[in-house]
Amino acid sequence: MSFPFIPYQRNEISLNQVADKSVEFYEFMAERRSVRDFSNRNVPREVIERLILTAATAPSGAHKQPWTFCVVRNKDLKTAIKQAAEEEERLSYDGRMSAEWLADLAPLGTDWHKPFIEIAPWVIVVFRKAYELKNDGSRGQTYYSHESVGIAVGFLLAAIHNAGLVALTHTPSPMNFMRTILNRPENERPFVLIPVGYPSANATVPDIHRKPLDQVAYFYD
Ligand code: IYR
């Protein structure tokens, strides 16, 4: 079986416009911040649906699209997720994380409390399909699923920022409780948990900066 191939059609733009767009998008993305202080202000479900559609435009190994986005607004489920996440996080902060790890996090002021899970109007839980589970119960392979889902999460964070909302990339660890709470099939592995909403009126972010180009890129011209 092979897909029919169709022309790739995109309007060509001048190099000046290319340069302008690259500056514009860089400056826009440079304003994105991980935010931990959420408002409980509602965001319509249709908005979240489009953000997820955007995430799901990501490339994936053999186009298997090995992701599931579970979107939680239900209050009881959010409470259950918060409780389970805090239980794991408390164990991590109180002994499972190395001294170096705790020292690296100390300036960011994180701890095991995760109130944002209940406060944010939506919590998107991203699952990675380790393999496909077909209707007849048989399995199919996925490929480069970590890379694929990572890219999709990047698209999602960009879409959230573009929509004027904020998000936090939260990785309670271990995170297998998410499969139980959300009743997901055995082929799905929790990847990341992303509260989404408006920032609270008094939200703060650490005054941190990104590495300059010459520390992150090497050109072999
Ligand atoms: N998962 C924990 C700890 C944590 C780890 C890293 I690396 C961070 O950049 C931030 C937090 C938590 O969510 O608190």
Side-chain angles (χ1 to χ4, degrees):
M1 198 272 282
S2 94
F3 298 118
F5 275 63
I6 53 178
Y8 175 68
Q9 275 165 336
R10 230 185 136 193
N11 288 336
E12 196 170 302
I13 61 175
S14 73
L15 270 182
N16 279 339
Q17 287 172 295
V18 168
D20 287 350
K21 276 177 168 289
S22 69
V23 171
E24 212 175 286
F25 194 61
Y26 161 60
E27 289 179 348
F28 175 70
M29 288 303 290
E31 288 169 2
R32 188 204 56 78
R33 297 299 308 262
S34 292
V35 171
R36 290 183 164 75
D37 307 320
F38 285 83
S39 153
N40 62 4
R41 182 172 167 190
N42 187 40
V43 171
R45 176 173 155 158
E46 296 67 40
V47 170
I48 303 296
E49 288 175 353
R50 280 186 295 270
L51 299 177
I52 289 171
L53 282 171
T54 306
T57 66
S60 62
H63 195 52
K64 294 288 180 181
Q65 306 172 74
W67 40 65
T68 304
F69 300 88
C70 292
V71 193
V72 182
R73 174 160 61 180
N74 179 281
K75 199 172 170 308
D76 294 340
L77 273 180
K78 285 201 293 190
T79 300
I81 294 170
K82 173 178 178 281
Q83 277 172 3
E86 287 187 336
E87 221 162 277
E88 291 295 354
E89 291 295 280
R90 192 203 289 258
L91 290 171
S92 293
Y93 279 89
D94 288 354
R96 286 198 296 223
M97 286 152 83
S98 66
E100 181 178 357
W101 192 347
L102 290 170
D104 279 339
L105 285 181
L108 297 170
T110 62
D111 61 26
W112 60 266
H113 295 93
K114 305 298 169 191
F116 48 77
I117 295 175
E118 279 182 323
I119 298 169
W122 298 97
V123 176
I124 303 177
V125 189
V126 185
F127 287 83
R128 173 184 69 86
K129 290 188 179 180
Y131 54 90
E132 288 189 326
L133 207 50
K134 310 219 167 111
N135 286 336
D136 64 2
S138 66
R139 293 179 175 200
Q141 273 189 251
T142 58
Y143 308 92
Y144 301 101
S145 61
H146 290 92
E147 291 85 345
S148 305
V149 178
I151 296 166
V153 168
F155 279 27
L156 179 60
L157 296 177
I160 291 166
H161 178 58
N162 179 61
L165 301 172
V166 296
L168 178 67
T169 314
H170 179 39
T171 49
S173 173
M175 204 179 167
N176 262 331
F177 63 84
M178 288 300 335
R179 248 196 71 208
T180 317
I181 293 177
L182 297 179
N183 198 22
R184 300 311 305 165
E186 66 184 33
N187 62 324
E188 294 189 8
R189 307 289 143 79
F191 190 78
V192 72
L193 188 157
I194 306 177
V196 183
Y198 282 94
S200 71
N202 50 6
T204 60
V205 292
D207 186 16
I208 51 181
H209 300 277
R210 288 163 176 131
K211 290 178 179 174
L213 185 64
D214 65 3
Q215 284 178 28
V216 297
Y218 296 89
F219 285 77
Y220 299 79
D221 275 356

